[in-house]
Amino acid sequence: MKRLMLATDLGLLAYWVVTATGLIPPYPEQVLVDWNWSFLTLDLLAAGTGLVALHLARRGHPEARSAVLISLALTHAAGLVALSFWVLRGEYDLAWWLPNLWLAGFPIVAVGVLFGCPVETVGGRR
């Protein structure tokens, strides 16, 4: 899980670097560009707390678990809000859906693993 969390956090940071440098073309509508940039703070907080949490965990710090939970909650929120937006717009482009499904779903599984729940019981399924 630590490697997946690290990859997710670094992926969020990489997304914003390529967005800021224009390597990803902007949306055709300004409102969508603005909407996308509205996620910057949330994504940076998610990635930042995740990287801090992993650092704390490596050092055996007692606050690592709390930091992991905060990061996972922020990551989940970012993915879920983005998915909700695309549902409201009725747009189902896999290029946006797959990363946001990951951001919304990975934290649920990670929290289950963190609390020692078998993966198959996460979400109440057995």
Side-chain angles (χ1 to χ4, degrees):
M1 279 300 154
K2 290 177 186 177
R3 287 183 183 173
L4 291 174
M5 188 171 170
L6 178 63
T8 300
D9 293 335
L10 293 177
L12 278 172
L13 295 175
Y15 170 78
W16 285 108
V17 168
V18 299
T19 297
T21 58
L23 293 174
I24 293 178
Y27 292 101
E29 300 171 45
Q30 185 60 42
V31 69
L32 293 178
V33 172
D34 296 343
W35 168 81
N36 189 54
W37 280 101
S38 75
F39 279 85
L40 177 64
T41 304
L42 179 57
D43 288 353
L44 291 180
L45 283 172
T49 57
L51 295 173
V52 167
L54 291 170
H55 175 74
L56 293 174
R58 191 176 25 223
R59 299 214 180 277
H61 196 282
E63 294 301 318
R65 187 177 177 134
S66 296
V68 166
L69 285 173
I70 291 167
S71 175
L72 292 172
L74 292 168
T75 302
H76 174 72
L80 188 61
V81 171
L83 291 172
S84 297
F85 176 81
W86 293 115
V87 167
L88 289 172
R89 286 188 55 93
E91 295 184 27
Y92 301 96
D93 182 351
L94 284 180
W96 290 110
W97 270 80
L98 291 177
N100 286 298
L101 282 169
W102 175 261
L103 293 176
F106 166 70
I108 294 170
V109 174
V111 167
V113 170
L114 185 66
F115 283 102
C117 300
V119 173
E120 63 271 7
T121 64
V122 173
R125 294 189 305 256
R126 294 176 192 238

